[in-house]
Amino acid sequence: MSILPNEEAFEDFKRQCLASENWLKKYDDSGRQVWIEVLPDKGINSPKVHKIKCRMSIEDVPAATMYDVIHDGQYRKEWDTNMMESYDIARLSDNADVGYYSWRCPKPIKNRDVVTLRSWQVKGDEYIVMNFSVKHPDFAVKNKFVRAVSILTGYYVKATGPNSCIFIYLSQADPKGSLPKWVVNKASQVLAPRVLNSVHQAGKNYPAWKKKNSPDVKAWLNPKQSKLSYMDPALLSIQRADSLENVDESSKLDGQDAEDSS
């Protein structure tokens, strides 16, 4: 079977973005909400890293602009202050690619990186971009980074008017290392609203920036504009979290090293 997501995968992602059952609200302020998924207890098989969902009502940026912001790698350098390096590696199809992203973590925690397969779809006034971690034969783990794993991460954007939209971010990602999972889960809940604020502001600033930076080039809308070489998707495989070595960072953390019950 192909590693590329099919129509069913996009529909399932949309369903998760819009679902309310088994989701617990952890934050609600100024049109921004954050939820975590609450599943029946499966004992040792229960996922240790929460699936988190963030929803934002945007009244002053069109859905199409927010979709451009998600895609535009050059622009991300302008607003993503945690990013160290990000680039596309190869095309897999007209609506899928494989790319690399690394980001700064608070000292003394080691910085993280990830290699992901990203795919996207536009249907009427709905936009989806989603990714998951893959193994690439030429992009092994680097010594100075901890290789994180995106189990499933992405965005669902739906227009609610000519200049307004609903913007949803959903993610289940394991930062690996030996960070206690309660730290990971708490941090994601605290940081999520800040990320929403940054993305919203990026959306407001994007049209002016794009006018000065290759205004007619949007390869995610016009595949013929892409300069990336093609790669056979069969050369990639899904990156499982349990196949990566845990780097010991426990001595660098203070606080309760226990699973958070909230």
Side-chain angles (χ1 to χ4, degrees):
M1 293 180 62
S2 174
I3 194 174
L4 296 176
N6 56 19
E7 180 64 27
E8 184 179 353
F10 282 103
E11 285 298 319
D12 183 64
F13 182 81
K14 173 184 173 180
R15 178 191 60 77
Q16 293 186 62
C17 286
L18 299 178
S20 57
E21 186 176 356
N22 297 325
W23 288 89
L24 176 65
K25 189 180 294 184
K26 305 292 288 188
Y27 177 91
D28 189 351
D29 185 56
S30 303
R32 292 161 172 77
Q33 298 91 35
V34 176
W35 291 270
I36 59 169
E37 188 177 32
V38 180
L39 297 174
D41 188 4
K42 298 181 180 179
I44 61 173
N45 294 320
S46 294
K48 295 297 184 181
V49 179
H50 291 158
K51 186 178 289 182
I52 187 170
K53 179 164 60 178
C54 312
R55 183 184 188 276
M56 172 170 53
S57 297
I58 298 177
E59 302 298 334
D60 52 3
V61 183
T65 299
M66 295 305 300
Y67 180 67
D68 290 344
V69 169
I70 296 167
H71 269 288
D72 200 321
Q74 287 298 113
Y75 184 57
R76 185 157 191 165
K77 299 173 184 178
E78 301 291 321
W79 65 268
D80 187 350
T81 57
N82 292 320
M83 185 181 77
M84 297 181 67
E85 189 175 18
S86 179
Y87 52 85
D88 300 328
I89 298 170
R91 296 175 71 185
L92 304 175
S93 70
D94 281 351
N95 71 319
D97 60 21
V98 58
Y100 175 85
Y101 178 81
S102 61
W103 68 96
R104 298 179 185 85
C105 293
K107 293 182 178 180
I109 304 303
K110 293 191 72 172
N111 295 325
R112 261 60 178 175
D113 70 354
V114 67
V115 175
T116 59
L117 187 160
R118 178 180 62 167
S119 54
W120 53 93
Q121 182 186 81
V122 179
K123 276 191 169 184
D125 61 357
E126 296 180 317
Y127 305 78
I128 293 175
V129 182
M130 59 186 187
N131 74 62
F132 55 86
S133 284
V134 291
K135 296 179 183 178
H136 188 294
D138 299 328
F139 288 83
V141 178
K142 300 179 181 181
N143 289 332
K144 64 179 181 177
F145 290 100
V146 172
R147 177 62 50 87
V149 175
S150 168
I151 301 167
L152 177 65
T153 299
Y155 306 86
Y156 170 82
V157 186
K158 180 177 176 59
T160 55
N163 293 296
S164 60
C165 61
I166 297 298
F167 183 95
I168 297 175
Y169 169 76
L170 183 146
S171 179
Q172 186 176 23
D174 190 339
K176 294 302 293 182
S178 58
L179 297 176
K181 295 301 182 276
W182 70 267
V183 171
V184 175
N185 292 330
K186 278 295 185 185
S188 64
Q189 295 170 35
V190 172
L191 294 175
R194 301 179 192 173
V195 174
L196 291 179
N197 288 336
S198 295
V199 174
H200 183 193
Q201 188 61 47
K204 291 192 286 186
N205 295 339
Y206 184 72
W209 179 89
K210 188 60 176 171
K211 283 182 180 180
K212 302 177 181 179
N213 295 271
S214 305
D216 298 323
V217 177
K218 294 183 179 181
W220 52 94
L221 298 177
N222 305 294
K224 292 181 180 180
Q225 294 179 339
S226 177
K227 297 180 180 179
L228 286 175
S229 59
Y230 271 105
M231 175 182 179
D232 184 354
L235 297 174
L236 302 172
S237 60
I238 295 175
Q239 176 69 72
R240 307 294 184 184
D242 55 9
S243 69
L244 289 170
E245 179 184 2
N246 278 329
V247 177
D248 185 11
E249 299 171 290
S250 57
S251 62
K252 301 175 181 179
L253 291 167
D254 296 322
Q256 175 194 0
D257 187 359
E259 188 71 20
D260 181 66
S261 60
S262 63

